[in-house]
Each structure stands twice: as C-alpha cells, then as structure tokens.
Amino acid sequence: MCGIVAYVGPQDAAPVLLEGLQRLEYRGYDSAGVAVVTRSGALKVHKAKLRVAELAASLPARFKGTSGIGHTRWATHGEPNDVNAHPHTDTAERIAVVHNGVIENADELRAALAADGVEFRSQTDTEVLAHLVAQYAERGAGLEEAVRSTLRRVVGTYGIAVVDVSEPGVVVVARNGSPLVLGVGEKEMFVASDVTAFVAYTRQVVHLEDGELAVVRASGYRTFNEEARATHRTPSEVDMEVVEFDTAGHAHFLAKEIHEQPDAVERTLRGRLDRRFATAHLGGLNLGARELREVRRIKILGCGSAYYAGEIGAQLIEDLARMPASSEPASEFRYRNPVIESDTLYIAVSQSGETYDTLAAVKEVKRKGGRVLGVVNSVGSAIARECDGGVYLHAGPEVSVASTKAFTSTIVAFALLALHFGRIQDLSPAAGGRLVEALDALPGQIREILAQEERIAALAAEYASEHAKSGSMMFIGRVRGFPVAREAAQKLKEISYIHAEAYPASELKHGPLALIGPELPTVAVVPDDELFDKNLTTLGEIRTRAGRVLAVAHREIDPALAEHTVVVPKSEPVLDAVLLNIPLQLFAYHAALALGRDVDRPRNLAKSVTVE
C-alpha cells in the first residue's frame, strides 16, 4: 500500500526520494509525487498519476532541494488522478504533507476548515492535514508544535511526513497505526514506511511506535509523543541486504518468485532441523518446553493468503501436536470482542509484518493479557516487534502483489512449529524423524513440479480461454486439500480476475452441485490419502453432470473422472499442502497471462495492506 519517503541532508533530495519510491513500488500504488524545500525556503511539488519512472522522467529541470518528502498513493479518498496524488499543500503552498492511513473524522475537519474560508483542491483526507498544520503555523506555532496540535484533533490512522518552507532542512514525522522508520546516516537522515527504501544508504534504523513523532534534521533526530515528552529512541542495525528489484530474466516478478520457492524453503529450514532428536530448533519463540506444555489450544490470525496458510498450520498442529488449533481472519477477530484465554497461544501471520488488521488483532490480544507469536517475513516489522516471539520466514523480498513464496514458506514454518510442539507433547522420535526427512526433501520436490510448467501453462490457457462461458471456476478439496483450494481460488481471482469459488468437496452435494455443468470447470485437489476414494466419488458426481475436471493429485486420475491431471510428488501426508499448491500457482499465473492481465500489479490491490 502507499509508500512514504523523506530525506534531509547534503545530497540533492529529489533523486534520493525517487530511488526510495522505486524501492517501494512493490507495495502497490496508482500515483506518485515528491516535494522539496530549497535552501532559500521555496517549495517545489511535482506529482501525477504516473509510475515512479515516468514521474522521474517528467521532473522539471530545476527541482533541487536538500530536504523533501515523497509518496506513492493507493487511493482511499478520491479517485486516482493528478490532483489527488500526494504531496498535498495548504493554499499558500507553505506546508506539504504525505500521508498513509485513513483520517476517520476528515469530513468533520473539512467542514470546519471550509467554514474558515479554506478552499479544497482535492478529494483526499490528507489535504485536511496540510490546511490544519498551516492554520497553526500561521498563528505562530513552529512546525513541530503545529503538527502536534493538528494530530490532537485527528481520529484515525496515519504515518505522515511534513515540511514547512519557513523551516528548511526540517521534516516532522508521526505514526499511529501506519509504519514509519527513521534511517540514521552520516550527516543525513532518511524516513520511510519501509526500511527497503533507504537500506542502500544506511542500516541504522529507529522504528517509531504508535503515538510517536520525530523532528528530523541532517544532524540527527529527536523523538517524542503528542504531549512533547521525549521518548529517547536509539538506533538499531537492521540485517538486510540491498536488493535489486529486477526479474532476473523472468517475464514477471511473480514468475521469478514462484521459481524461487525451492531456495526460499531451504532458507526457512536452514539451521532449524535437528536430526539427532527428530525435532526443530526455533530459538526465537521465547517459550520453553514447560510453558508450551501448559498451552491448551492455539489460535492463528491472518488476512488473505496468511489466513489460508494459518488454516493449513492449524491442521499441522492438530495432526502433530494433538493440540486444538484454528485459524481466523484477523480482520474479523479484532471486531468481535474475542475472549482471550490464558491457556491459549495466539499466532499472527503476515508476510510484510505491517498488515494493519493483523497488527490491531495482536494489540487486542496483548491488551487482554494474551501471549502472541509471530510468523512473518519482514525482519523488524511492526508485528514482529509487537509479538512476544516468533519465526522469521527468510523467504526473501516478495515484490509481486500475489504472495507465492511467502505463502509456501509460511506453511513450512508452521510445519516446523508443529514438529517442535509435537515432540514436546507426544510425537514419537520415529514420526518426527520421518517429518524431518520429508521437510528436507521439499525443495527438490518443488523443483520437480516447476519442471512441469510448460504443460500447466497450456492447461491454464485452455481453461482461461473458456472461462467466459460461465465467468467462473470451482475449486474443491477435503480436509488438508480444502485450504489449498481456497488459496488457489484466491490466486486465480486476484491476478486473472476470473471469479472462483472454493468449497469443501464434501459439501458439494449440499448446494453447490446445482452450479455444475459443462460451462463451469472444477479444479479438484486430490491427495493420495485416506479420503482418496471419497474424492473420486465427488469427481464422479461432477462428471455425470457434464462438468469438466482438472485434478491436482499424487497419481493419474481415471480420465472418466478427471479430464486432466497434474501429478505432484508424494510427501508425508501432513505436508501435502505445500506440494499440491505449487501447480495451482502456475495455473493462476498462466491463466492471467493468457487473458493479458498485469500479474504483478492486479487492479485494486496492494502488496502491504496498512489501512482498514
């Protein structure tokens, strides 16, 4: 979602800002803009409904300043256009603001400002902030005081960066529910919504917490709260490499990330498999064996693909540790006044570690005395810092909006957690040893599946070309196969725009069978397990109604029951979801390609969802 960058220092600010915005493009956006303050105290703003590269190419020749702010916008208030793009300024163009989040009382504040004679140019909630800061500044307040006074009137979430032509070389920033991090350089300072934006310049970072502000100058920074009390944040070093965001010879980031999955899984497993004791080493849990034995149930919280990965994780934990476990959308959990139990362990799942709904759910659990572990990919992210412990995926940067390698690595991380919990409980050394060997074999098996891409691409193109007949596809699976079907349906929806519905195969005859016919294809997840024969019966019910079936299975399905079968290698049954999901990622990718979709940046979606 929206990205923020800011810079103060001796360099020309605009190129630094634009480079930072390019590194945040993966978050998703529909417009971009930058503003710089010159040494003489002039404000220059350039923004448009353009990609960052196009914005850079159209930058005016004289656009120099040693401090500035930049933004990539994902529309929440007002349609995507040049006027609604950030930064936003006050009428006199003294103040410029960039903002992530949602100001919930923006209409009320707008009405009050309009009554004072303020004329608005955009439809955004952010412009309200610019005019409010300007009002306080015009009454004699310095930029710091003007921002603090403004935020005391604001209800909602925000990550903001503000500049004032009257104070060249100063940026004031604030956070409440939307991430902001400071980068401490050598006589220069950086601000961003993601460390990725400035890691090429410094790895010394300061994470702002909710309710905190900072005044940033080239010489350093000062952090404080809305009551102006100092918070004394000290820098820490982030362990992150400078990543060049290129497709490494692939047509799209999504294709690259699908093919990176064997390596991603190897990184998730590295140093964590203990063959001697047939278990997993997870040092970041901060939870001893005695404490774990006191846990009676596990609740997993996530959104979108993280929620579906949590469903698979819950099954892994129940199968291996024999502990009741369930997964729930974090976006629903936080609003239903949940009962937080002292003997329940909560696990928050997020690729970015900044998903707002999940972060809010974590805070709700913590507020009520619950214990939360995190399963996240982004080191030092808000959710990782908020949790009591957890597991980093180490899947590597994921740029495409649709999650693939992070989803797969999340399942593997849950397998490690389940193995660890299981061996503390009643899982035998023999069973643990089999799982260790199966986990170790996963990267090679994923490579075997990826080698089938050409055939899967042909099938995807065939099914995509016929989707217009019904405009939809059905995905089915039982028990371990059902979350795989749900994730596969989501992938197809989000990148190809084909409507897809996932249903438990056992529930098909309880209603959805009415939809089946020659125009509605069904993708069936058919593991070779104790439910194999029951799954074949369901396929028979579909075929007798002239429905087309594409099966993803561990062996060829009788053509009378499935028109096509994609065969994947067999692993331990509890790991079936990892391998059965891979061909369905390829299926969604190639279906989207066949329909001419923008697979890396699907419409209306963003990589990191930091607003409600």
Side-chain angles (χ1 to χ4, degrees):
M1 199 154 286
C2 311
I4 285 177
V5 294
Y7 173 77
V8 185
Q11 299 188 59
D12 184 13
V16 178
L17 298 173
L18 290 165
E19 180 185 349
L21 292 180
Q22 284 183 317
R23 291 185 174 276
L24 296 180
E25 282 190 295
Y26 73 94
R27 295 165 71 97
Y29 68 104
D30 46 51
S31 58
V34 292
V36 298
V37 179
T38 67
R39 285 191 177 89
S40 61
L43 180 67
K44 297 186 177 184
V45 179
H46 183 59
K47 61 180 185 174
K49 185 185 175 183
L50 294 172
R51 311 309 294 178
V52 174
E54 297 169 322
L55 185 81
S58 63
L59 201 69
R62 296 188 175 184
F63 200 86
K64 296 194 179 294
T66 53
S67 63
I69 55 179
H71 194 263
T72 49
R73 176 179 186 254
W74 189 84
T76 55
H77 287 69
E79 65 183 74
N81 59 32
D82 294 355
V83 175
N84 288 330
H86 295 214
H88 287 282
T89 67
D90 66 311
T91 305
E93 297 195 347
R94 171 183 173 178
I95 303 294
V97 179
V98 292
H99 163 231
N100 290 351
V102 175
I103 305 304
E104 296 174 10
N105 63 336
D107 290 344
E108 174 189 333
L109 295 171
R110 180 183 284 260
L113 288 163
D116 290 339
V118 172
E119 294 184 6
F120 287 84
R121 288 168 287 197
S122 77
Q123 301 166 295
T124 68
D125 54 346
T126 304
E127 190 183 351
V128 169
L129 299 176
H131 289 297
L132 282 173
V133 173
Q135 275 195 349
Y136 288 108
E138 288 163 6
R139 296 170 190 167
L143 182 58
E144 174 189 333
E145 183 184 347
V147 172
R148 283 196 298 108
S149 298
T150 294
L151 295 181
R152 281 197 290 267
R153 296 177 62 182
V154 165
V155 177
T157 58
Y158 52 79
I160 63 170
V162 190
V163 293
D164 180 350
V165 296
S166 299
E167 299 185 37
V170 175
V171 180
V172 175
V173 302
R175 168 193 172 142
N176 184 50
S178 190
L180 272 185
V181 58
L182 313 182
V184 183
E186 184 67 32
K187 296 182 181 179
E188 60 183 353
M189 287 289 299
F190 306 83
V191 180
S193 48
D194 189 318
V195 176
T196 307
F198 58 67
V199 72
Y201 296 96
T202 181
R203 295 183 187 176
Q204 294 296 312
V205 303
V206 176
H207 292 277
L208 294 185
E209 300 297 334
D210 284 349
E212 277 192 309
L213 300 87
V215 173
V216 178
R217 296 180 171 86
S219 57
Y221 65 95
R222 180 169 52 86
T223 61
F224 50 94
N225 61 21
E226 286 184 14
E227 286 71 45
R229 289 195 294 269
T231 53
H232 304 295
R233 295 287 174 191
T234 56
S236 59
E237 185 165 335
V238 65
D239 182 16
M240 181 181 290
E241 297 297 325
V242 179
V243 177
E244 294 301 326
F245 289 107
D246 63 64
T247 58
H250 294 275
H252 303 92
F253 283 108
L254 183 56
K256 173 177 178 264
E257 288 156 13
I258 289 172
H259 282 270
E260 285 177 337
Q261 288 179 111
D263 293 338
V265 169
E266 285 176 348
R267 286 194 297 273
T268 302
L269 294 173
R270 189 169 296 146
R272 290 169 166 170
L273 293 178
D274 182 343
R275 288 171 177 79
R276 181 182 177 188
F277 294 106
T279 188
H281 283 308
L282 298 170
L285 296 185
N286 300 327
L287 199 61
R290 187 183 299 274
E291 292 172 288
L292 269 173
R293 289 193 66 86
E294 293 173 357
V295 173
R296 292 291 172 264
R297 61 186 55 81
I298 290 175
K299 170 74 76 173
I300 302 170
L301 305 170
C303 296
S305 292
Y307 161 49
Y308 301 140
E311 289 191 311
I312 296 167
Q315 292 186 11
L316 279 160
I317 290 166
E318 288 201 342
D319 282 344
L320 297 175
R322 304 309 299 155
M323 299 168 65
S326 62
S327 179
E328 182 175 345
S331 52
E332 293 293 313
F333 174 87
R334 58 179 291 236
Y335 280 117
R336 64 172 182 81
N337 191 24
V339 176
I340 305 302
E341 299 168 304
S342 59
D343 59 359
T344 297
L345 178 64
Y346 298 85
I347 302 178
V349 186
S350 171
Q351 187 282 135
S352 67
E354 305 288 353
T355 309
Y356 181 77
D357 285 314
T358 307
L359 179 59
V362 170
K363 290 182 176 181
E364 179 70 8
V365 174
K366 296 290 291 292
R367 190 178 298 115
K368 294 182 176 180
R371 188 179 189 111
V372 190
L373 299 182
V375 176
V376 300
N377 193 37
S378 183
V379 176
S381 56
I383 291 172
R385 298 197 315 277
E386 190 72 30
C387 289
D388 299 299
V391 179
Y392 281 121
L393 303 181
H394 301 305
E398 193 173 65
V399 176
S400 186
V401 167
S403 179
T404 51
K405 66 178 182 178
F407 177 82
T408 298
S409 288
T410 300
I411 301 173
V412 172
F414 271 118
L416 291 169
L417 277 168
L419 174 60
H420 180 70
F421 294 169
R423 291 289 290 121
I424 288 172
Q425 301 287 343
D426 299 313
L427 188 70
S428 71
R434 288 194 299 272
L435 189 61
V436 167
E437 294 305 315
L439 285 165
D440 200 37
L442 282 178
Q445 292 176 310
I446 293 172
R447 291 185 179 97
E448 288 181 46
I449 298 169
L450 295 175
Q452 300 183 57
E453 182 171 11
E454 187 175 345
R455 178 170 180 263
I456 294 169
L459 288 170
E462 178 183 336
Y463 279 84
S465 68
E466 296 186 5
H467 91 281
K469 293 178 182 177
S470 67
S472 187
M473 290 186 72
M474 181 74 76
F475 287 75
I476 61 171
R478 286 175 185 262
V479 189
R480 300 185 190 101
F482 179 48
V484 176
R486 297 188 76 181
E487 167 65 10
Q490 169 146 320
K491 280 291 164 289
L492 190 68
K493 281 183 281 197
E494 64 186 347
I495 63 173
S496 75
Y497 317 150
I498 296 173
H499 173 260
E501 182 174 2
Y503 234 85
S506 55
E507 285 286 296
L508 202 63
K509 57 186 172 295
H510 294 292
L513 200 59
L515 299 172
I516 298 299
E519 293 81 22
L520 180 69
T522 298
V523 177
V525 180
V526 189
D528 195 358
D529 59 14
E530 69 278 7
L531 297 173
F532 182 76
D533 290 336
K534 292 185 182 297
N535 276 320
L536 294 188
T537 299
T538 301
L539 299 189
E541 291 173 346
I542 294 170
R543 293 295 280 163
T544 57
R545 288 156 180 85
R548 297 189 67 192
V549 174
L550 167 63
V552 179
H554 292 123
R555 49 172 146 153
E556 285 288 342
I557 304 296
D558 186 338
L561 299 176
E563 192 172 343
H564 303 99
T565 303
V566 175
V567 177
V568 303
K570 190 79 179 78
S571 182
E572 285 292 304
V574 292
L575 297 179
D576 281 344
V578 176
L579 300 174
L580 291 166
N581 179 63
I582 304 296
L584 293 170
Q585 294 175 347
L586 289 168
F587 182 85
Y589 170 68
H590 285 285
L593 283 187
L595 296 170
R597 310 305 191 205
D598 184 347
V599 294
D600 283 333
R601 298 187 180 93
R603 66 189 183 196
N604 306 330
L605 300 180
K607 181 65 177 172
S608 180
V609 183
T610 55
V611 297
E612 291 189 76

